[in-house]
Amino acid sequence: PNIERDFKRDTDLFLWVAKILEIILPKIRRLHPVASVETFIETVNLEMDLRMEASAAAELRENFSNDNKYFVPNIDWKRTSRRVLTTERVHGIPIHDVEELREAGHDLEDLVKRASENFFRQVFRDGYFHADMHPGNAFVLNDSSLAVVDFGIMGRIDKETRHYLADMLLGFVIGDYDLVADVHFRAGYVPANKDRQAFKLAVRAIGEPIFGHASSDISIARLLAQLFQVTQQFDMETQPQLLLLQKTMLLAEGVGRQLAPNTNMWQLSQPLIEEWMKENRGPEAKLIEVTTNTLNALERLPKAISNLESITSKTIIDKLKKDPQRLLVIWPLWFAISLLAVLFWLKHY
């Protein structure tokens, strides 16, 4: 009862504290405490309306409609409202019940592989992912399909960020730390005035303990401590839009560690990364993108010129009424402005 009121009271306090911290502790500003709290508020406000959760489930189900090994329960919209969510029932074994999964004959390493593939497709193919993947929200069905529930927290990533992340993950997986460093600088995650070679050494120190080793040999606590130290050393700012992804990766790795401690789930995604980059970053993909952008620009061009005309025509007419000889100067100027408008739209769209 009164959850919205209580939540607002608490988060008003969080925001106040975050603003005070940004004022009195300049060094903490790179962590964006205010933006992080605002991201949290936005996420939970959506989570409190179960119609939004139902809509999220429907979108995720649609994205995997052609995948018979990833099950998202159907929504019963007639029995769903702001306070009630009704879905199709899921019959399966909780993914954290390792012994029961073994007894049922499920291949645990194959489950981790499939979980990794599904996570990859959500993040990179769709840019829309389940962001609350703790063990209580995932089940294994009789046919070894993975089923998920609880769609209150979902994450979105735009196309440009997906490109950065794909480059970064591939760089880590294949041990190309020049690529990893380059991505961080291109994306603006590391300030341009920082030493690129020093940063490359730092990311190598993070990557080497992860890739090429079994999950059981990795200390997540030590890794996070080292990562935080690197962000501090290079004045890296927190990316609020990636907070949900970071949390989800941590949860997913925890599930993978429980199921198959000797399997590194991130290395399993290498073929998918390479295939995705070929389809989305290769010459054909770039040609399609350029063609699409050009067509969009041509579509918007008449409106742009029309807007420009409406802004300038009244001024031109008023001037010509007072001094008709201005026509000799005005028309070349008008032609130049139109040409610049065309070039601007072609460049940006």
Side-chain angles (χ1 to χ4, degrees):
N2 302 315
I3 184 63
E4 287 88 357
R5 183 199 65 193
D6 294 344
F7 179 71
K8 186 177 186 312
R9 180 193 61 203
D10 292 344
T11 50
D12 282 347
L13 173 62
F14 293 165
L15 272 177
W16 180 77
V17 171
K19 289 173 183 175
I20 295 296
L21 287 174
E22 288 197 2
I23 293 169
I24 64 175
L25 296 174
K27 286 186 177 180
I28 209 172
R29 288 175 195 160
R30 69 180 184 85
L31 301 177
H32 296 296
V34 171
S36 298
V37 172
E38 287 172 345
T39 299
F40 172 67
I41 291 172
E42 182 182 354
T43 301
V44 180
N45 277 332
L46 289 175
E47 195 175 7
M48 288 189 292
D49 185 343
L50 297 182
R51 293 169 301 186
M52 300 298 291
E53 180 172 344
S55 182
E59 182 171 347
L60 187 64
R61 179 181 171 88
E62 187 177 300
N63 289 345
F64 281 85
S65 59
N66 295 323
D67 188 337
N68 59 8
K69 288 295 184 180
Y70 190 75
F71 179 76
V72 179
N74 199 18
I75 299 297
D76 184 342
W77 286 101
K78 290 182 179 179
R79 295 173 180 81
T80 293
S81 65
R82 181 178 178 82
R83 287 287 188 251
V84 177
L85 172 64
T86 309
T87 75
E88 180 180 0
R89 185 162 185 156
V90 174
H91 297 273
I93 301 170
I95 201 165
H96 57 81
D97 197 334
V98 178
E99 289 306 315
E100 191 174 347
L101 289 172
R102 279 204 188 99
E103 288 172 8
H106 295 294
D107 184 332
L108 301 188
E109 288 192 11
D110 187 59
L111 288 175
V112 173
K113 182 175 184 292
R114 198 171 311 126
S116 175
E117 291 172 351
N118 289 330
F119 177 76
F120 179 89
R121 291 190 180 99
Q122 288 178 53
V123 173
F124 293 99
R125 183 192 67 187
D126 307 324
Y128 188 62
F129 61 96
H130 193 302
D132 198 15
M133 279 308 302
H134 62 75
N137 284 343
F139 300 85
V140 180
L141 307 184
N142 290 336
D143 62 356
S144 294
S145 300
L146 290 175
V148 290
V149 297
D150 191 353
F151 311 93
I153 306 177
M154 305 292 290
R156 285 194 190 274
I157 300 179
D158 62 51
K159 192 171 184 180
E160 184 181 29
T161 304
R162 278 182 266 165
H163 286 171
Y164 288 140
L165 290 172
D167 285 342
M168 200 184 304
L169 188 53
L170 181 63
F172 271 119
V173 167
I174 65 177
D176 186 346
Y177 298 106
D178 280 310
L179 174 60
V180 177
D182 179 61
V183 173
H184 279 80
F185 279 90
R186 274 193 289 121
Y189 298 158
V190 180
N193 63 340
K194 295 299 175 181
D195 187 322
R196 189 179 293 258
Q197 292 305 312
F199 183 73
K200 186 181 87 168
L201 290 176
V203 295
R204 179 186 288 274
I206 293 171
E208 291 294 333
I210 301 176
F211 296 97
H213 295 79
S215 297
S216 56
D217 295 331
I218 301 170
S219 168
I220 295 298
R222 187 181 65 193
L223 181 70
L224 289 176
Q226 190 175 11
L227 182 60
F228 189 79
Q229 189 177 10
V230 168
T231 64
Q232 207 168 20
Q233 180 183 350
F234 290 92
D235 294 330
M236 294 170 64
E237 296 189 356
T238 294
Q239 306 297 319
Q241 78 277 15
L242 296 180
L243 288 175
L244 286 176
L245 178 63
Q246 291 163 344
K247 183 198 83 165
T248 304
M249 289 179 74
L250 197 61
L251 289 171
E253 188 173 68
V255 172
R257 184 195 291 263
Q258 277 187 306
L259 291 174
N262 296 318
T263 301
N264 189 319
M265 70 177 296
W266 305 122
Q267 282 185 315
L268 294 174
S269 61
Q270 182 174 348
L272 290 171
I273 299 170
E274 291 171 344
E275 182 184 348
W276 183 87
M277 291 186 77
K278 183 180 176 182
E279 292 176 359
N280 292 272
R281 307 294 298 278
E284 291 136 354
K286 290 192 176 182
L287 179 61
I288 292 170
E289 187 176 359
V290 168
T291 304
T292 303
N293 289 343
T294 303
L295 290 173
N296 288 339
L298 291 173
E299 245 179 58
R300 299 180 189 185
L301 185 58
K303 186 176 180 183
I305 293 174
S306 175
N307 290 340
L308 192 58
E309 282 177 348
S310 65
I311 294 170
T312 59
S313 60
K314 188 177 184 302
T315 304
I316 292 171
I317 291 167
D318 290 344
K319 294 286 184 184
L320 288 176
K321 282 179 181 176
K322 293 178 182 177
D323 186 0
Q325 289 185 351
R326 285 176 180 266
L327 186 63
L328 296 174
V329 178
I330 290 294
W331 279 114
L333 180 62
W334 169 241
F335 177 77
I337 290 172
S338 299
L339 184 60
L340 285 172
V342 171
L343 292 173
F344 174 84
W345 285 97
L346 286 177
K347 180 180 179 183
H348 288 81
Y349 294 94

